[in-house]
Amino acid sequence: MSLNKGKPCRRVAELSLESIVGLMPWTYDYDLAVIGGGSGGLAAAKEAAQLGLKVVLFDYVKPTAKGTTWGLGGTCVNVGCIPKKIMHYAGLLGKSIKDARYLGWNLPEYTQFDWNLLVEKVQNYIKMLNFSYKVSLRSAKVCYINALAYITTNNEIEYFLNEKSYKIHSRAIIIAVGSRPFVPRDVPGAFELTITSDDIFSLEKSPGKTLIVGGSYIALECASFLNDLNFDVTVSVRSVVLRGFDRQCSNKVMNNLEELGVKFKFKNLPSKIEKCEREDKLLVTYTNGERDLFDTVLYAVGRVAETKNLGLENVGIIVGLDGKIPVNERDETSATNVYAVGDVAQGRLELTPTAIQAGEYLARRLAAVSSKIVNYNNVPTTVFASYEYSSVGYSQEKAKEYFGKENIEVYLREFSSLELSAAHRLKNERLWADEFDKEASPQCLSKLICLKSEDEKVVGFHFIGPNAGEICQGFALAIKLGAKKSDFDELIGIHPTDAESFCTLSVTLASGQDFRVSAGCG
Ligand code: FAD
Ligand code: NDP
């Protein structure tokens, strides 16, 4: 099979009649055309090319309302997981300065944080990743085209380069165009004056006093790192935080954030946002009539799939209200030869590892080397708040709903992390002026949800505390393999760690006993 060595594809006029009509399989320019160079698209393209298919990948980023744009790699690399995790780490370092002082480091009383320097380092890191993705496509012999792709038929894609129209023909098309943040148009000033997660990681001006609207992953993660970086942060939540997650754990995440200094406003959303020129600030009027000035307002109220102007109507694909494409378990859309993976696919978890696995497995099926499909059960996930919240399996509420209240046993323990309690972490001085000399409440919560009818098989694993993501990744395998509470009990802990709490959970929620323990061994 001859491979296209990264050259732009032929212009329409240069194509043969057969390839324009796209009837003869041997006239296709490519075996596979992938639209979207994010987690799912890159994984599918590279895997397919490595398996011998001739692949073209389109990736193009439409600038945000603020003009922010970025390179190859999609949301995760440029405006998602990667910059978020670096800023999370930078925030944690700031919080550790006081611990370090307490534990013997002779650091100056006054330490200063430089937003522009952080942004510069984050952006440099991203550029390095953008470059490495380009290199990896080149070495996999994938033709990369930095242009917006438009589907014209089940086997044809049109794109523009330097104002000229080109078309390619492909045996199969994978749509992996992801999603972009949604900003409500019915709140005056919201669209014009606010930013989203697409802007925050490259923001040239320090965000200052920030209002975040939203109550899920993105809102809480941004609130958390900005607060840890010493900005004054308020979160305006429409209903509850982290809808869909375990309620007790979600509230614990929120309480931890409150103790660290984040302020929450419930059921009190911005109704108007105005520019206050004199003070160079944004004046926010809330639904209850309250007003407040902010330097930055960030909307994190969900995302909409990037399917407008993709030409889906040309192949008869009908999207949902959120713009998502209905797919079956084999990632097939309603259009022959057209597939969808990642955030754009309806009903899929909006996470990088699920997009990657979906892309890789689909490529293997298209190359006819495997028939495996992704198993979306027991996918672990982490909310990267200061004290991370990681979980796999059912929330207490969902477990009750699916298995019945009487069939559920919940084991739990609330405790302080050894390191944080030894460093005497105090409540945040900004928010807790009256109680600043008091130590923070226990940050950690370990919780197992077990199924009585199946010998206490663990169907839900939840942990809040430092490095929860790292801890949960390992335990997730046990849950996937069907571990029971007795397996956790038999497992010998690694001492002294926060994770060892899972080997000695003895208090059940039903017992009504106190599940909060003081620090110390045993
Ligand atoms: P994307 O990565 O969004 O890639 C789609 C690409 O297609 C984009 O480059 C887009 O510009 C391009 N495109 C769109 N239309 C066209 C077109 N017509 N032609 C050509 N190109 C086009 N997930 C985690 O697992 N862990 C995390 O910690 C995490 N943190 C996150 C933090 C934030 C702030 C956000 C926003 C998301 C986070 N996610 C996280 C989610 C994760 O980033 C997404 O689930 C993942 O990136 C989805 O991959 P994708 O391939 O579906 O789409
Ligand atoms: P979500 O769709 O998860 O949540 C949207 C939030 O915005 C909810 O709290 C919702 O409230 C609220 N909301 C919706 N509309 C409005 C409105 N008009 N006004 C005020 N509030 C509103 O969105 P996110 O943007 O936080 O995250 C998108 C996805 O990205 C996640 O589902 C996740 O899969 C992925 N992600 C993963 C991360 C990780 O793995 N660590 C990190 C960040 C993102 P309500 O509950 O009332 O509907």
Side-chain angles (χ1 to χ4, degrees):
M1 186 175 295
S2 75
L3 294 168
N4 183 321
K5 298 229 167 56
K7 280 195 269 167
C9 308
R10 288 173 291 159
R11 293 189 56 192
V12 183
E14 295 163 3
L15 294 170
S16 64
L17 180 64
E18 286 85 350
S19 67
I20 291 172
V21 177
L23 290 174
M24 315 283 273
W26 58 87
T27 63
Y28 295 134
D29 305 300
Y30 297 96
D31 298 307
L32 176 63
V34 178
I35 309 179
S39 310
L42 282 170
K46 285 192 279 187
E47 186 70 5
Q50 271 149 21
L51 292 170
L53 301 192
K54 189 175 173 189
V55 183
V56 59
L57 178 136
F58 296 89
D59 188 61
Y60 184 84
V61 180
K62 290 184 202 148
T64 70
K66 297 275 162 297
T68 315
T69 188
W70 49 87
L72 181 64
T75 303
C76 169
V77 170
N78 295 283
V79 286
C81 330
I82 301 297
K84 180 274 302 292
K85 189 81 190 289
I86 307 174
M87 291 206 172
H88 170 57
Y89 180 59
L92 293 181
L93 288 176
K95 284 278 168 261
S96 304
I97 291 173
K98 282 186 190 155
D99 298 357
R101 243 188 242 120
Y102 190 86
L103 295 175
W105 285 95
N106 204 347
L107 295 170
E109 262 317 300
Y110 181 68
T111 46
Q112 211 181 352
F113 167 70
D114 184 336
W115 171 261
N116 293 95
L117 194 56
L118 173 62
V119 167
E120 184 191 319
K121 301 295 181 199
V122 166
Q123 291 305 317
N124 286 347
Y125 190 76
I126 291 172
K127 285 197 182 77
M128 185 270 289
L129 292 177
N130 296 147
F131 180 72
S132 78
Y133 280 116
K134 270 193 191 170
V135 172
S136 68
L137 285 183
R138 204 174 306 140
S139 24
K141 299 200 166 49
V142 173
C143 170
Y144 162 50
I145 298 177
N146 182 206
L148 265 186
Y150 179 77
I151 299 172
T152 44
T153 74
N154 298 48
N155 297 98
E156 185 184 76
I157 288 172
E158 181 179 21
Y159 65 99
F160 286 84
L161 266 185
N162 303 324
E163 296 176 13
K164 279 183 190 162
S165 160
Y166 296 83
K167 283 187 180 173
I168 62 104
H169 295 84
S170 178
R171 196 157 55 91
I173 296 173
I174 297 181
I175 303 171
V177 293
S179 58
R180 294 293 286 270
F182 157 76
V183 178
R185 300 279 182 148
D186 58 351
V187 178
F191 188 74
E192 300 79 15
L193 300 172
T194 69
I195 62 165
T196 68
S197 56
D198 278 359
D199 304 295
I200 185 73
F201 304 110
S202 56
L203 203 64
E204 283 172 10
K205 199 170 146 238
S206 167
K209 183 178 166 188
T210 302
L211 173 69
I212 296 179
V213 189
S216 197
Y217 278 95
I218 298 181
L220 296 198
E221 291 186 343
C222 291
S224 183
F225 71 69
L226 289 176
N227 177 67
D228 287 349
L229 296 171
N230 281 343
F231 296 108
D232 181 327
V233 180
T234 304
V235 185
S236 170
V237 184
R238 175 166 77 174
S239 53
V240 291
V241 293
L242 298 175
R243 179 196 295 282
F245 283 87
D246 187 275
R247 261 321 73 221
Q248 182 186 26
C249 294
S250 304
N251 290 335
K252 175 89 188 149
V253 172
M254 185 186 68
N255 293 341
N256 277 344
L257 283 172
E258 276 184 321
E259 283 211 356
L260 290 166
V262 177
K263 287 164 273 184
F264 284 87
K265 272 184 185 293
F266 281 93
K267 297 178 183 154
N268 196 10
L269 299 171
S271 59
K272 186 163 66 171
I273 301 167
E274 297 160 278
K275 191 145 180 70
C276 189
E277 300 288 354
R278 198 161 43 91
E279 296 178 77
D280 193 22
K281 287 192 189 291
L282 298 173
L283 175 64
V284 174
T285 306
Y286 293 98
T287 35
N288 73 353
E290 270 175 41
R291 300 169 106 197
D292 201 355
L293 287 170
F294 291 93
D295 297 294
T296 303
V297 177
L298 185 153
Y299 264 85
V301 295
R303 298 169 64 81
V304 181
E306 274 277 89
T307 46
K308 254 192 193 164
N309 308 321
L310 189 58
L312 295 182
E313 63 285 359
N314 297 330
V315 288
I317 295 177
I318 297 167
V319 298
L321 279 180
D322 52 4
K324 295 204 177 203
I325 300 175
V327 284
N328 64 14
E329 58 175 14
R330 297 172 56 77
D331 306 309
E332 291 161 345
T333 69
S334 60
T336 315
N337 304 329
V338 183
Y339 303 79
V341 295
D343 283 9
V344 75
Q346 201 169 69
R348 302 289 192 241
L349 293 161
E350 295 175 2
L351 297 171
T352 277
T354 48
I356 291 175
Q357 196 173 94
E360 279 176 0
Y361 280 21
L362 173 56
R364 286 175 205 161
R365 292 197 303 272
L366 291 174
V369 296
S370 163
S371 57
K372 222 168 168 181
I373 56 168
V374 178
N375 175 356
Y376 290 99
N377 289 331
N378 288 319
V379 174
T381 183
T382 299
V383 179
F384 290 95
S386 293
Y387 302 121
E388 297 171 7
Y389 167 32
S390 208
S391 66
V392 56
Y394 288 84
S395 67
Q396 191 180 320
E397 293 71 27
K398 277 272 175 265
K400 271 187 189 169
E401 199 181 308
Y402 278 91
F403 304 111
K405 189 175 176 226
E406 302 311 318
N407 200 3
I408 296 300
E409 192 76 271
V410 176
Y411 292 86
L412 70 180
R413 179 179 303 163
E414 197 174 50
F415 60 100
S416 288
S417 176
L418 163 72
E419 291 84 351
L420 302 186
S421 100
H424 288 278
R425 275 241 178 142
L426 299 170
K427 289 192 173 180
N428 180 282
E429 63 250 64
R430 188 159 16 94
L431 201 71
W432 299 87
D434 303 340
E435 297 185 52
F436 175 52
D437 53 340
K438 286 208 182 142
E439 269 180 42
S441 316
Q443 312 84 10
C444 303
L445 178 66
S446 301
K447 179 168 178 178
L448 291 181
I449 296 160
C450 308
L451 210 51
K452 285 185 193 167
S453 60
E454 288 191 37
D455 202 10
E456 294 206 316
K457 180 178 159 186
V458 180
V459 292
F461 173 101
H462 302 262
F463 177 65
I464 297 168
N467 301 309
E470 304 293 346
I471 290 171
C472 185
Q473 183 67 78
F475 278 117
L477 182 63
I479 307 301
K480 215 167 165 71
L481 294 174
K484 299 193 167 132
K485 174 68 169 61
S486 54
D487 296 316
F488 277 79
D489 296 339
E490 276 171 34
L491 179 70
I492 293 178
I494 300 172
H495 190 65
T497 62
D498 295 327
E500 69 176 319
S501 58
F502 282 101
C503 306
T504 54
L505 288 182
S506 56
V507 177
T508 63
L509 194 61
S511 72
Q513 285 176 41
D514 191 1
F515 53 84
R516 184 182 275 201
V517 296
S518 46
C521 299

